[in-house]
Amino acid sequence: MPRFTLTTAVVLAAPVLALLPTPARPAPVPNRPTLRLEPAGEVKVPDLGSYAVALVDEATVAVVGTKGVAPLGDPNELAPNAAFVDLATKAVRPFPTGHTARVNSVSVAHGRVATTSISTDTSPNRDRTVRIWDLKARKTTDSITIEKPADNGTSFYEATWFRKSERIAVLAGERVLVFDPAKPDDRIELACPPAPKRWLSGPVAVSPDDGRVVGSTGGGELIVWDMATRKATVIRDVPPPEERPFEWNFGPLAFGRNGHVFVCRTRSDDEVPEKTAEKDVPADRRGLVQVDVESGRLTALGFGHTIRTHASATDPTGAWVATVGFARPDQPNSGKLTTAGEVRVYHLATKELACQKQVGTNPLIWVSFTPSGKRLVAATAYGEVMWWDVRAN
């Protein structure tokens, strides 16, 4: 009978062990990007109907509009009103713009605030000026006439600062005027393409490198001007009216970190039909699109709200996109109100919804990340400003 030593046994067993399958290692789980918003504050500016809002710095917001709100009347007949809101102390400081009619836009850069107003047939105080407020001096330093008074008609004006130069772009009907407030008579006129006749209907945006100015029309078109050539290019979001099933209008524009423009669109009906799950709604029905101004390509992101998307903003890293608007309430309320103000934050690369909060019943009309990206600020049309601390990985 053969005798086996311990050493022999180990040697004989080795080949058997080598043939056993190696246990599979679990695949590493990637770190999913996450973001949450923690309530940090809220302020109601007394007797102010908000029409435009701008971030001044990490802890200050400028809100402009009218004295009071006229939900059933003509807001253009109301007196102008504006204020600065301190997010650190929640203090509200009056902002005497000097306008004689509703303050229609506000833009902040280079230590200065630019505001514009509106001129209408019904308003006794027609105001066709852009006014410059010096933040350090706390006073108006310039009042510049945009154009000569017309015999009749309504004129809306919107102003936006350039980033690298101290010029300003002012929307005025069928054109955008570009000038340095120190040399207001030395102007560049960016005209809309002549046919068909177009009217610019919303704020203009300036690219981070000052190379392009973008405006929108009421017919679902973007007009992109190259500042080097002053040539205009038309980017159409939708087919001609006779070919499209829904009516789209462009709203606020915002350049992202990637140089693309984020555009909010409004529909003639809700973004998400009632009794329809959001996951079943195609991306091209939602309110936010991304536009590559180089190629003219539009990308439907699938971002938005169940009723309407009003504005968007990207954080300083370019990773997150916040949208605001109004939606159907997540929870039943005691009254018969059927809408809620809402803020959402999406991760741009994965298209995932990271955070969603409903706040009150008034639609949110403006949103911005602060320069550090550590705070998100939003506002309603009723003088309400609210902000959250951002926690993201």
Side-chain angles (χ1 to χ4, degrees):
M1 183 174 180
R3 298 174 60 187
F4 294 95
T5 64
L6 179 60
T7 303
T8 306
V10 172
V11 171
L12 292 174
V16 178
L17 294 175
L19 295 175
L20 296 176
T22 304
R25 294 183 179 180
V29 178
N31 292 325
R32 295 170 63 91
T34 61
L35 180 144
R36 68 181 189 274
L37 299 177
E38 298 180 354
E42 183 175 347
V43 167
K44 172 72 168 69
V45 181
D47 203 24
L48 191 148
S50 314
Y51 277 83
V53 188
L55 200 67
V56 177
D57 54 35
E58 190 73 23
T60 312
V61 171
V63 187
V64 303
T66 58
K67 192 172 181 62
V69 180
L72 300 178
D74 183 357
N76 299 324
E77 296 181 357
L78 298 177
N81 199 4
F84 291 112
V85 177
D86 188 317
L87 307 184
T89 64
K90 299 185 180 181
V92 176
R93 176 164 54 91
F95 172 20
T97 62
H99 287 291
T100 58
R102 182 187 94 190
V103 189
N104 206 49
S105 75
V106 58
S107 180
V108 182
H110 316 298
R112 293 180 290 175
V113 183
T115 55
T116 58
S117 189
I118 183 173
S119 177
T120 71
D121 288 337
T122 59
S123 174
N125 299 315
R126 297 184 180 180
D127 190 337
R128 299 175 180 271
T129 62
V130 55
R131 292 177 175 267
I132 309 298
W133 174 272
D134 187 288
L135 288 167
K136 186 176 182 180
R138 292 194 175 190
K139 66 178 183 179
T140 298
T141 55
D142 297 282
S143 178
I144 302 158
T145 300
I146 299 170
E147 58 185 1
K148 294 180 180 179
D151 293 332
N152 51 47
T154 298
S155 297
F156 294 87
Y157 303 106
E158 305 271 358
T160 302
W161 287 102
F162 279 68
R163 315 288 184 91
K164 295 183 177 298
S165 69
E166 297 192 5
R167 293 180 297 174
I168 195 167
V170 180
L171 177 152
E174 304 170 65
R175 58 189 178 154
V176 174
L177 304 174
V178 177
F179 55 87
D180 185 331
K183 302 175 182 178
D185 295 328
D186 184 11
R187 302 183 178 192
I188 296 172
E189 182 174 316
L190 305 175
C192 286
K197 190 178 182 67
R198 295 175 172 91
W199 289 88
L200 298 169
S201 61
V204 293
V206 178
S207 62
D209 63 357
D210 286 2
R212 288 181 173 84
V213 173
V214 182
S216 65
T217 72
E221 295 178 329
L222 290 182
I223 312 296
V224 182
W225 287 275
D226 186 304
M227 287 303 299
T229 64
R230 303 184 193 176
K231 180 181 177 181
T233 301
V234 179
I235 300 176
R236 290 179 175 84
D237 176 42
V238 289
E242 63 273 11
E243 299 176 15
R244 67 183 187 243
F246 301 105
E247 183 69 32
W248 284 109
N249 284 316
F250 276 140
L253 317 172
F255 270 94
R257 185 180 175 87
N258 57 9
H260 294 176
V261 177
F262 292 86
V263 187
C264 292
R265 308 178 297 178
T266 57
R267 299 172 54 90
S268 56
D269 59 352
D270 294 350
E271 286 184 30
V272 178
E274 289 193 65
K275 300 180 181 179
T276 302
E278 285 198 58
K279 64 181 179 59
D280 297 329
V281 176
D284 59 6
R285 189 183 170 99
R286 306 310 298 272
L288 192 67
V289 294
Q290 183 178 227
V291 183
D292 184 338
V293 295
E294 288 277 0
S295 65
R297 182 172 179 267
L298 290 93
T299 302
L301 298 171
F303 301 173
H305 303 266
T306 52
I307 298 179
R308 185 162 298 168
T309 303
H310 277 305
S312 71
T314 57
D315 82 316
T317 69
W320 304 98
V321 178
T323 64
V324 293
F326 61 110
R328 299 185 193 94
D330 288 337
Q331 302 294 332
N333 53 62
S334 56
K336 296 182 179 180
L337 297 172
T338 57
T339 62
E342 187 175 72
V343 57
R344 296 186 176 196
V345 182
Y346 293 87
H347 188 252
L348 182 58
T350 64
K351 306 294 189 294
E352 291 184 351
L353 175 61
C355 186
Q356 174 183 358
K357 287 186 177 294
Q358 293 195 343
V359 285
T361 59
N362 294 326
L364 296 173
I365 63 167
W366 173 85
V367 66
S368 180
F369 287 92
T370 58
S372 69
K374 295 180 179 180
R375 181 176 286 163
L376 184 70
V377 191
T380 73
Y382 295 86
E384 298 163 308
V385 179
M386 56 203 72
W387 58 99
W388 299 264
D389 291 332
V390 177
R391 308 295 186 212
N393 69 1

